[in-house]
Amino acid sequence: LDLIQEGIARELTRRIQQRRKDSGYEVSDRINVVLHSTSSDLLQAIEVNKQRIANEVLATSIVISDETQSDDIEDINGQMLSIFLEKV
């Protein structure tokens, strides 16, 4: 279970970093991240690794929302996750 959660955290970190790059953010820009998923496995993995993910992507906050904040839906291990970024 820990290895699966670590894998999900690494994949989410990679996707957020790619989204930062695609949005034209500078490497040093701080961001807020809003995530939404109906997958309890995905949300649990995020919760357990939230601080590490935040540190790696320079997130001031990572919020798990009850509603999707973005039309950009990612498939992580067959589970859907919406990722919304905003520059702080």
Side-chain angles (χ1 to χ4, degrees):
L1 186 62
D2 287 346
L3 286 176
I4 293 170
Q5 289 182 342
E6 285 180 31
I8 289 170
R10 276 195 306 278
E11 183 61 23
L12 177 57
T13 298
R14 189 185 73 72
R15 305 265 180 118
I16 292 172
Q17 296 290 40
Q18 186 62 50
R19 184 82 48 94
R20 283 177 62 102
K21 183 179 175 184
D22 293 347
S23 298
Y25 295 162
E26 296 296 324
V27 174
S28 60
D29 286 342
R30 292 239 167 238
I31 59 171
N32 289 325
V33 179
V34 180
L35 304 171
H36 169 75
S37 179
T38 56
S39 165
S40 59
D41 292 341
L42 204 54
L43 295 175
Q44 183 179 11
I46 293 165
E47 204 56 57
V48 167
N49 294 284
K50 192 187 274 190
Q51 192 58 55
R52 188 180 69 174
I53 296 167
N55 291 342
E56 290 183 23
V57 302
L58 294 182
T60 302
S61 69
I62 295 180
V63 175
I64 310 266
S65 175
D66 291 338
E67 298 177 5
T68 185
Q69 304 290 319
S70 171
D71 292 335
D72 292 326
I73 306 297
E74 298 280 345
D75 179 329
I76 297 182
N77 294 356
Q79 301 169 76
M80 298 301 143
L81 177 72
S82 118
I83 303 172
F84 175 77
L85 305 183
E86 68 178 352
K87 199 158 103 173
V88 176

